[in-house]
Amino acid sequence: MNNIAYDQELDCKGLNCPLPILKTKKQVDAMEIGQVLKMESTDPGSISDMNAWTKRTGHELISHIEDGGIYTFYVKKT
Amino acid sequence: MSETKKMALIASQGTLDWAYPPFILASTAAAMDMEVQIFFTFYGLTLLKKEIKAKVAPQANPSMPMKMPFGPKGFQNINWPMPNILMGNVPGFETMATSLMKKTFKNKGVATIEELRDICLEAGVKFIGCTMTMDVFGFDKDEFIDGVVVGGAATFLEFAVEADIQLFI
C-alpha cells in the first residue's frame, strides 16, 4: 500500500495548520494535470483538512496512510 | 466544481492572537479557490502596516494559558498561573508574554502573521483599509503594504452581500 507512484513530493512534517494546506496548494498549482503529489505531515488536523481541500478544489485524494504519527497523502491534480 | 465561492471578513483587532484568525482563514479560503476580501477597521488597520508590531495582552485574556517555549515537554505543557496583579503591573510583562507566544508558535510550526499575510496577497486576497478609522487614527495609505485599497462600509457591503461566508473578527 506504500507503492503508489508519484511525481513530486512535499515535506510538511512539523508544520501546523494552515501551512500544510497552503504549501500543498502552491505545489499542486505548479504541477501538470494528472500528476501525483506525495505530501507528508505530522499535523493530525491535516486528515480532515486534506479531505476538505480536495473536495473543494476537485483534486483527487488517492489515499492517505497513517504510520507512527506521520500522515502521508497522495493527491492527483485534476 | 461549482461557481466561485466568496468570503468576506472584517478584521477589527490588532493584537497578535486576534491577528491570526483573519489571515489563517483568508489564506486557506484562497487555497480552496474562494474569492476573499478582508475589510480592516479600527485596531485591525495596524495589521496592514509594513511592519506588524502586534502584541498579546494577557490582562485582557484572563484564560490565556501561559506556556514556556523551552525545556522538557512536561515543563512546556504546564499552564503557568498568572495573577492579574502581575499581568497588570509588571513593566514589560506584555512584551515577555508576546515573546513567549511567538516562540511557542514557532516551535509548533505555526506560520508568522507576516508569512500568512504575504501568502494572502500572493493568492489574490483583497485587503481594504477603512477610510474612516484611518482618518481617526491618523494613518496614511503610504504606511500600509502595497496593494491595499481604501474604502468605507459600502465597499465592504457590496462584496459581502454576494459572499457565501461573512465573519466579523
Side-chain angles (χ1 to χ4, degrees):
Chain A
M1 108 173 169
N2 258 319
N3 293 329
I4 296 165
Y6 56 90
D7 303 284
Q8 292 194 23
E9 49 187 329
L10 175 64
D11 182 6
C12 291
K13 294 195 289 292
L15 298 180
N16 219 319
C17 171
L19 284 174
I21 292 292
L22 302 181
K23 286 184 179 281
T24 300
K25 152 81 176 168
K26 198 171 179 184
Q27 188 139 345
V28 168
D29 275 355
M31 284 165 41
E32 311 269 329
I33 288 169
Q35 283 192 320
V36 174
L37 174 74
K38 175 188 178 184
M39 190 276 269
E40 288 184 309
S41 148
T42 47
D43 169 21
S46 56
I47 304 167
S48 174
D49 285 354
M50 283 295 285
N51 271 297
W53 180 75
T54 48
K55 194 177 159 196
R56 192 73 241 156
T57 55
H59 300 302
E60 186 189 345
L61 186 58
I62 300 171
S63 88
H64 78 85
I65 299 150
E66 189 184 335
D67 186 20
I70 296 174
Y71 308 94
T72 308
F73 302 90
Y74 293 90
V75 183
K76 188 181 196 174
K77 180 168 180 172
T78 57
Chain B
M1 208 181 14
S2 45
E3 84 286 6
T4 306
K5 298 284 183 187
K6 293 179 184 177
M7 180 169 80
L9 301 181
I10 295 182
S12 68
Q13 303 289 325
T15 53
L16 182 66
D17 43 353
W18 283 97
Y20 270 98
F23 289 124
I24 288 176
L25 289 173
S27 56
T28 307
M32 292 172 93
D33 298 334
M34 297 183 211
E35 190 185 336
V36 186
Q37 280 197 10
I38 313 176
F39 186 77
F40 294 86
T41 187
F42 281 81
Y43 318 112
L45 274 178
T46 56
L47 304 177
L48 291 176
K49 294 226 173 183
K50 285 176 180 129
E51 192 191 346
I52 299 174
K53 289 179 181 156
K55 287 184 174 181
V56 279
Q59 200 178 15
N61 299 279
S63 59
M64 182 188 295
M66 186 61 67
K67 305 279 192 182
M68 294 300 158
F70 41 76
K73 204 169 169 110
F75 178 79
Q76 287 195 28
N77 285 340
I78 296 171
N79 276 327
W80 296 91
M82 288 295 151
N84 264 317
I85 188 151
L86 182 66
M87 299 197 291
N89 295 320
V90 173
F93 188 81
E94 197 176 85
T95 308
M96 186 194 79
T98 302
S99 149
L100 290 176
M101 183 180 264
K102 282 187 173 172
K103 280 205 184 88
T104 302
F105 276 26
K106 195 177 174 211
N107 289 349
K108 301 274 183 192
V110 178
T112 64
I113 294 296
E114 288 84 352
E115 281 173 310
L116 290 170
R117 186 175 70 173
D118 287 348
I119 294 169
C120 283
L121 283 173
E122 221 176 279
V125 173
K126 208 165 163 194
F127 292 166
I128 298 157
C130 166
T131 38
M132 183 276 278
T133 20
M134 281 169 68
D135 188 27
V136 171
F137 292 158
F139 291 160
D140 195 85
K141 195 168 173 279
D142 294 341
E143 296 171 58
F144 296 154
I145 47 169
D146 292 338
V148 174
V149 177
V150 297
T155 308
F156 170 76
L157 288 169
E158 193 214 350
F159 180 79
V161 73
E162 302 288 346
D164 302 276
I165 304 168
Q166 303 103 351
L167 295 173
F168 181 90
I169 299 170

